[in-house]
Amino acid sequence: MNLFFIKDLFCRAIEKKRALIIFGVVFLAGMILGICFVKTPAFYEFHLNNCDRFLTRVCYSDRSVLVIFLERTAGCALLLVLTLMGGVHIVAIAVPTAVILYRSYTFGGQIAVLFGVYGVSGAIVALVLYIPIHLLIDAILLIGTSISVGRARCFRFAKQDLCELGRDLLALLLLVAAVCLVEMILLLAIFHPLGNLF
């Protein structure tokens, strides 16, 4: 198996332009809602805790960046599985939709908190690490959602369909691992001491 199956994945995702546009709009709407409702008491503590956890457990942690890489990759892999499970039935498209809405809403809220509460240091973390990595992972999830929409109407639990599903999961996992690797390099170069690789 060569890496051309990743190119095939992109081609199939782009074929579903309408799905990409619709879910892109859903993502944008969720992000705007997250920013608008960040001051709501019920959500403010949630966003603040998430930002605090990101700063203490990822950016300024004494833990190995390799461990952080593995944890982040595993978390994104779970989201990918949920996203691709949307392709097994048309009703299951609700699952990747919920994933995108949740991620976009928390993304918007946490951007507002990083800039508004943590000041210059929060803005640096947001611009250098949080926003670019989050958007790259979200783009991969949007590609997975587009693939799921294309598959949902015709999926059968046959060997060929299951193999295609597994191949798509592998391709998306490779992309996610590459993004998490970039995040690990940024953490090591900017936020963690050089001896903190292992």
Side-chain angles (χ1 to χ4, degrees):
M1 184 184 295
N2 55 43
L3 292 181
F4 286 113
F5 68 105
I6 295 179
K7 182 180 178 182
D8 173 62
L9 183 86
F10 280 109
C11 291
R12 284 186 290 125
I14 291 170
E15 284 174 5
K16 296 291 178 184
K17 288 179 185 175
R18 189 188 301 177
L20 280 175
I21 292 169
I22 289 171
F23 285 102
V25 169
V26 167
F27 179 85
L28 188 61
M31 185 180 73
I32 292 169
L33 287 172
I35 293 170
C36 291
F37 291 105
V38 71
K39 295 291 186 183
T40 307
F43 297 114
Y44 182 73
E45 285 298 322
F46 172 75
H47 292 309
L48 190 62
N49 288 338
N50 279 346
C51 286
D52 188 55
R53 193 178 308 118
F54 180 75
L55 291 171
T56 57
R57 291 184 57 81
V58 177
C59 295
Y60 303 114
S61 171
D62 290 332
R63 298 182 311 141
S64 160
V65 290
L66 188 58
V67 171
I68 294 170
F69 164 76
L70 293 173
E71 288 177 352
R72 304 276 287 169
T73 304
C76 292
L78 177 61
L79 294 176
L80 277 179
V81 169
L82 291 173
T83 299
L84 289 181
M85 285 300 103
V88 301
H89 193 277
I90 194 69
V91 176
I93 292 297
V95 177
T97 305
V99 169
I100 288 171
L101 270 174
Y102 174 78
R103 278 186 61 85
S104 61
Y105 184 82
T106 56
F107 179 59
Q110 287 166 33
I111 286 175
V113 169
L114 284 171
F115 280 96
V117 175
Y118 292 95
V120 175
S121 62
I124 291 170
V125 169
L127 293 172
V128 173
L129 188 68
Y130 183 75
I131 293 174
I133 297 299
H134 203 290
L135 287 177
L136 285 170
I137 296 295
D138 290 327
I140 294 169
L141 291 173
L142 284 172
I143 290 169
T145 302
S146 176
I147 294 293
S148 293
V149 168
R151 175 180 286 130
R153 291 186 183 276
C154 58
F155 184 82
R156 301 290 180 270
F157 286 93
K159 182 179 178 181
Q160 182 179 350
D161 288 353
L162 290 171
C163 286
E164 286 179 4
L165 185 66
R167 190 173 65 230
D168 290 345
L169 178 60
L170 177 60
L172 291 168
L173 276 174
L174 288 173
L175 293 173
V176 160
V179 172
C180 291
L181 183 63
V182 170
E183 181 184 50
M184 184 183 88
I185 292 168
L186 287 172
L187 285 172
L188 193 61
I190 302 171
F191 298 101
H192 285 241
L194 283 176
N196 210 21
L197 180 60
F198 297 104

